[in-house]
Amino acid sequence: MSEPLKTRREKEKQARYEAILDAAELVFSEKGYERTSMDDIARTAALSRALLYVYFKDKAAIQRGIMLRAGHSLCRRFEEARQTADTGLAQISAMGVAYYQFYRDQPDYFSALTTASTAMAEADDELAGEMFCCKVQTMDLMVGAINLGLEDGTMNRDRIHDPAETALYLRGALHGVIMLCQSEMAESGQEENFPAESLIRHTMEMLTSSIAS
């Protein structure tokens, strides 16, 4: 096979792979993951069921592909957030805002990442490796901001003994409050009246003040 033909076929294959994920995201959003069938995804992607199975062995494999997309999306947001600020503390604050905005803009991706660690245990080595690299890159961005904060004096060295541990604490704490808001709004059925924005802002202020010089 000539190189141009091989390249074109690889591009076509990748395009079809992405189209399937696009279709699955649409149907999952409309019907929910549990009520969606492989036939639903095939119809939305305008593919035969047989061709769909050439790319994905089951619905769970499709969901893992979406999880990887979600990981890349969050990583890009963190990269962009770091570029908006000069000091380490300001960069961490910007990434906190980016994480909350990720939840607001792409709630399905946020939910996907919440269960990604468990789901990736069943992924093939290549996909699991890509997801791991994405997760490491996201954490490295936070650790890099914390290291910068220690160097530029905007973060307190007495309170930060391990930048990686601090990064996990910051993300975990913010994630937990976002999940709490999500749960409270679902239980009360009064999303408009629940002070989620205020609580998130307060949480980010408390978190940044806990590590500031």
Side-chain angles (χ1 to χ4, degrees), residues 58-166:
D58 53 27
K59 190 170 64 172
I62 295 176
Q63 178 69 346
R64 288 192 290 271
I66 293 173
M67 288 174 179
L68 182 58
R69 274 187 168 185
H72 284 309
S73 177
L74 179 60
C75 193
R76 283 193 299 272
R77 285 172 180 264
F78 274 21
E79 287 175 340
E80 292 167 1
R82 278 202 68 181
Q83 292 170 8
T84 65
D86 296 326
T87 69
L89 188 64
Q91 288 181 4
I92 279 293
S93 179
M95 281 189 274
V97 173
Y99 194 56
Y100 179 59
Q101 202 58 47
F102 173 67
Y103 159 71
R104 292 294 305 274
D105 295 343
Q106 298 177 302
D108 291 339
Y109 277 7
F110 180 86
S111 297
L113 285 187
T114 300
T115 59
S117 295
T118 302
M120 284 299 161
E122 299 178 6
D124 60 56
D125 291 343
E126 182 178 357
L127 184 62
E130 286 185 52
M131 192 65 189
F132 177 75
C133 288
C134 189
K135 182 178 180 180
V136 169
Q137 187 177 358
T138 302
M139 284 300 298
D140 283 349
L141 288 164
M142 293 189 69
V143 171
I146 293 169
N147 281 325
L148 176 60
L150 294 173
E151 293 169 6
D152 64 25
T154 56
M155 293 189 190
N156 193 321
R157 287 186 176 275
D158 293 332
R159 295 177 182 173
I160 300 173
H161 304 290
D162 183 341
E165 185 179 75
T166 300

Side-chain angles (χ1 to χ4, degrees), residues 2 13 38 57 66 71 88 97 181 193 211 213:
S2 65
K13 184 178 180 181
M38 291 291 275
K57 67 177 183 178
I66 293 173
V97 173
C181 290
N193 297 325
I211 59 174
S213 294

